[in-house]
Amino acid sequence: MRKIIKLLPIVLVAIVLTSCSSVKVAADYDKAVQFDNYKTFAFFKSGIDKAEISDLDKRRILRAIEAELMAKGYTKSENPDLLVSIFTKSNQRVNIYNNAWGMGAWGWGGGFGPGWGWGWNNQPNVTTSVQGMLFIDLIDADKKELVWQGQGTGYLSKNIDKKEARIKEFVSKIMEKYPPGMDN
């Protein structure tokens, strides 16, 4: 029974961490637009330049968007139907986990041998994580109007290989919502 009680906090933290690993997505669009009329795209440089992320991450995101649109049958063009823009937001989260239960914890009781103790040695665990939001905007090139916006929210990695995979996951999950009305 003691082993189960000792493992319970670890299991709970693992559940919380794994539930945070997915990308949550949402999309909004103009219902009056006929999305099947769009066949070509280009990147909206002035909009992309405003995104407050590194140029390396911008290129990673743009490559992933380009791959997704091309997989959907779109062609990159100098005279596009759609302009693609992005912007990002991020929040650093501080997670504090205190494994002391109640007033004390089972262990060494005040230096007098095993028994009930006050948990003085139980220091809280502090971790930080970065939660990022990626917005992908699709703009009608002729009207210069936003026609579709996808948003993804999730946790980011500082590891370069994991970051690249995570960016692809963000873009892929967001672009599953485009075009609207399909069985996404």
Side-chain angles (χ1 to χ4, degrees):
M1 183 67 175
R2 271 191 251 153
K3 285 184 181 182
I4 292 173
I5 291 174
K6 285 183 179 181
L7 289 177
L8 187 61
I10 294 169
V11 170
L12 291 174
V13 168
I15 289 170
V16 168
L17 290 177
T18 56
S19 69
C20 296
S21 67
S22 65
V23 177
K24 294 174 183 71
V25 296
D28 192 11
Y29 63 96
D30 183 342
K31 290 185 179 185
V33 171
Q34 294 295 319
F35 288 93
D36 54 353
N37 292 337
Y38 298 121
K39 305 288 182 214
T40 60
F41 73 96
F43 292 109
F44 186 54
K45 184 171 174 18
S46 62
I48 292 167
D49 287 344
K50 294 177 186 174
E52 296 181 1
I53 55 174
S54 76
D55 287 343
L56 293 169
D57 285 342
K58 283 181 193 176
R59 285 194 297 269
R60 289 178 180 116
I61 292 168
L62 297 180
R63 280 193 302 262
I65 292 171
E66 183 174 329
E68 289 291 328
L69 286 173
M70 292 181 107
K72 292 177 184 288
Y74 286 79
T75 306
K76 197 170 180 182
S77 171
E78 293 291 322
N79 187 21
D81 302 323
L82 284 174
L83 295 172
V84 179
S85 188
I86 62 168
F87 68 96
T88 60
K89 293 181 182 180
S90 66
N91 298 329
Q92 184 163 350
R93 295 185 52 148
V94 177
N95 305 303
I96 300 173
Y97 172 72
N98 189 353
N99 61 356
W101 291 55
M103 296 277 298
W106 181 258
W108 291 96
F112 299 109
W116 188 257
W118 291 104
W120 290 302
N121 293 329
N122 293 328
Q123 297 296 318
N125 252 345
V126 179
T127 60
T128 60
S129 55
V130 177
Q131 184 180 40
M133 294 177 74
L134 171 63
F135 294 84
I136 300 174
D137 292 344
L138 299 182
I139 302 160
D140 184 292
D142 291 331
K143 298 178 185 175
K144 304 290 190 256
E145 293 178 353
L146 180 67
V147 294
W148 184 87
Q149 182 178 68
Q151 169 193 337
T153 305
Y155 288 89
L156 305 176
S157 175
K158 293 179 183 178
N159 175 293
I160 293 172
D161 294 329
K162 288 181 181 179
K163 181 190 288 189
E164 183 127 9
R166 190 68 169 153
I167 286 172
K168 286 179 182 176
E169 180 185 6
F170 261 76
V171 172
S172 174
K173 295 281 187 186
I174 294 168
M175 295 306 293
E176 284 177 2
K177 298 286 188 182
Y178 182 83
M182 302 299 282
D183 293 321
N184 306 347

